[in-house]
Amino acid sequence: MPELPEVETVRKGLAPVMEGRLIERAENRRPDLRFPFPDGFVERLSGARVERLDRRAKYLLMRLDSGETLLSHLGMSGRFTVQQSEVALKPGDFVHAPPTSEKHDHVVFDMEGDVRIVFNDPRRFGFMTLFATDDEAAVPFLAGLGPEPNSNEFSGPFLQARVKGKKAPLKAALLDQRVVAGLGNIYVCEALYRAGLSPRRMAGSLGPKRAERLALAVRQVIDEAIAAGGSSLKDFASADGELGYFQHTFRTYGREGETCVTPDCGSKIERIVQSGRSTFFCPTCQR
Ligand code: ZN
C-alpha cells in the first residue's frame, strides 16, 4: 500500500506536468472506484486549470481555478502515469515503469500541451472526490487530521500532550490519524525502533524525553523515505522510472527472525499482531 512518502513522490512527479495546465478533457471510464465518482465529475474538471498540487496525509489535492479541489487517494494499487506525445520528457517528469494494463485505466486527464495523465488502479481501492476549496475544513477525509509528521507542529511536546492519559499502546497511538497524519504501519515500526521504544508501551507513559526522541524519529524516517523516493510497493516506480528501494533499508519491517542491525545487540526481530496489523520490533533495543 502506498504510504505518505510514496504519495509525496507522486505529487512531486505530477506537479511539473500538471501545475498551470488546463484540463481540456477529463474522463472516468467507470462509475466508481472504492466510492462512486461525484456528480458532474467530467463537467466540473473539463476546462479547469490546475493551479497547484498539494498533499495532506495520503491525499493528493489538486487545486483548480474553478474554486474546487480534486482529492485523490491511491488506495492499495492506484498509480498515475504521465503520457506525453509532443512534449519531450525531461529529467524529473513522471513515468511509471513497467507499463500498466490499460483495462485498469479508470480516469484520464487530457491536459493542454498534449499531455495525458492516466489513473490506473487494478484493485480499485483508490477514490476521487471534489469539494469547494473554501470548505476544506468540513471535508470528512480531512477534518480532524493531526499535523504532518515532518511539520514543525509535530514535536515532542505536541506528541506528549496528544497521547496524555491514553491507555492504548504506542503503536496504535501513532497509527491514529488524529495524533499524526498519514503515518502507516511500516513507518510506525521503523520510528519506534529508531526511538528505542517498545510498540507495547502505553502511550500515556511518554515523558518529555521519550516523546522528543519519538517525534524526531518519526520525522527522520519520513524525511528519509521521501528523499529515497518512497517505496512500499515493489512495483512502485519513482519519478525517474527507477523502482523505489527504501524497502531494502527497513530495519525492522518484514525482518522477523533476522538479527537486529544494532551493533552488538544480537537479538532477533520479533513480530506481534496489534490491532490486526503486524508489528516488527527488537525486544532488546526497544523498551
Ligand atoms: Zn536490537
Side-chain angles (χ1 to χ4, degrees), residues 163 166-171 173 198-206:
V163 300
K166 277 202 197 290
K167 297 272 191 288
L170 266 185
K171 169 81 187 301
S198 168
R200 289 186 282 212
R201 172 186 279 273
M202 285 300 118
S205 75
L206 272 191

Side-chain angles (χ1 to χ4, degrees), residues 193 259-269 281-286:
Y193 175 78
T259 304
C260 174
V261 295
T262 298
D264 304 325
C265 169
S267 293
K268 303 276 189 227
I269 298 299
F281 70 108
C282 172
T284 304
C285 296
Q286 296 178 247

